[in-house]
Amino acid sequence: MNDTVQLNDTVQQVSDLRAFAGVALRRQGVVGAVAPSSRSLARALTAVVPTTGPAVIVELGPGTGAISEAIRERLAPGSRQLAVEIDPGMVAHLRRARPWLDVLQGDAARLGALLDERAVSRVDAVVSTLPWTLFPEDVQESILGEVGRVLRPTGAFTTVTYLPAVPLARARRFRRRLRAAFDEVLTTGPVWRNVPPGLAYVCRRPVGRG
């Protein structure tokens, strides 16, 4: 039985790597990582996901689904797990490889409208691996604004940044944007067991939300 499980895991990993490589080659300007997220990074990003009671969780930029698996492991029965992915090829991969995941094809800057299609108005957590520093600043602001609008007052938003980018001016500007959008922004990590190493920002209490 264990051999069967290990074989299935290996097959899934190979499938994920192929899907990741395909998107990375096809859309080099919008893929911020050089490999799927590690389990160590996944644990850091998903620590905000509730483990008791039904919850609604949204993932932005799920890629091959490595973070999606970590979210699923934490969720209690009766929870909903959704993911917003813009790339059609990756959407097809996710729907085939992870049929339990509700994948919404579209732009994270339209998060509220996409969730409306699933009759979801508020969520308990938003987990993101979007390559923020590759986006224009107005797009960053649009996405963060959407995240703030859909989060419950007790909810949390978490996202990743990679250590090589931390000193760069565009990364510093993004941190300032996070602090302007949320009352609380904490940094966890670094997570060395990832390629490249990264850390997580954990954000709570969107500014302007009473």
Side-chain angles (χ1 to χ4, degrees), residues 48-71:
V48 299
V49 174
T51 57
T52 58
V56 181
I57 309 300
V58 177
E59 184 182 1
L60 306 182
T64 63
I67 305 297
S68 308
E69 292 282 359
I71 293 172

Side-chain angles (χ1 to χ4, degrees), residues 48 78 138 185 188 207:
V48 299
D138 61 327
V185 179
T188 67
V207 170

Side-chain angles (χ1 to χ4, degrees), residues 121-170:
S121 59
R122 290 287 182 268
V123 304
D124 297 282
V126 178
V127 179
S128 167
T129 55
L130 292 175
W132 295 97
T133 57
L134 299 182
F135 296 158
E137 295 186 359
D138 61 327
V139 173
Q140 294 179 8
E141 290 185 359
S142 294
I143 297 173
L144 291 176
E146 289 290 293
V147 169
R149 279 187 284 275
V150 303
L151 272 180
R152 298 188 194 279
T154 56
F157 166 62
T158 183
T159 191
V160 64
T161 189
Y162 298 105
L163 293 188
V166 168
L168 302 180
R170 59 181 181 271

Side-chain angles (χ1 to χ4, degrees), residues 9-29:
D9 287 346
T10 300
V11 170
Q12 184 62 68
Q13 290 170 5
V14 171
S15 175
D16 288 349
L17 285 170
R18 285 176 176 169
F20 181 90
V23 174
L25 290 172
R26 188 170 67 252
R27 309 191 69 196
Q28 297 180 31

Side-chain angles (χ1 to χ4, degrees), residues 22-193:
V23 174
L25 290 172
R26 188 170 67 252
R27 309 191 69 196
Q28 297 180 31
V30 294
V31 177
V34 297
S37 300
S38 69
R39 289 190 64 83
S40 296
L41 182 60
R43 284 193 295 271
L45 285 171
T46 60
V48 299
V49 174
T51 57
T52 58
V56 181
I57 309 300
V58 177
E59 184 182 1
L60 306 182
T64 63
I67 305 297
S68 308
E69 292 282 359
I71 293 172
R72 186 189 188 200
E73 290 172 2
R74 290 181 62 88
L75 286 176
S79 297
R80 293 187 66 179
Q81 183 177 354
L82 307 98
V84 176
E85 173 59 53
I86 196 170
D87 183 80
M90 197 63 80
V91 169
H93 169 77
L94 288 166
R95 288 175 175 168
R96 180 177 62 254
R98 294 172 171 84
W100 42 264
L101 181 62
D102 187 0
V103 184
L104 292 72
Q105 182 174 348
D107 191 332
R110 297 185 59 253
L111 178 59
L114 292 171
L115 292 178
D116 283 344
E117 296 174 6
R118 297 295 197 272
V120 172
S121 59
R122 290 287 182 268
V123 304
D124 297 282
V126 178
V127 179
S128 167
T129 55
L130 292 175
W132 295 97
T133 57
L134 299 182
F135 296 158
E137 295 186 359
D138 61 327
V139 173
Q140 294 179 8
E141 290 185 359
S142 294
I143 297 173
L144 291 176
E146 289 290 293
V147 169
R149 279 187 284 275
V150 303
L151 272 180
R152 298 188 194 279
T154 56
F157 166 62
T158 183
T159 191
V160 64
T161 189
Y162 298 105
L163 293 188
V166 168
L168 302 180
R170 59 181 181 271
R172 295 198 300 271
R173 288 195 295 272
F174 176 66
R175 289 196 294 276
R176 289 197 294 270
R177 188 158 289 110
L178 281 178
R179 294 186 180 108
F182 294 89
D183 285 332
E184 179 182 276
V185 179
L186 304 177
T187 304
T188 67
V191 178
W192 297 108
R193 298 186 66 179

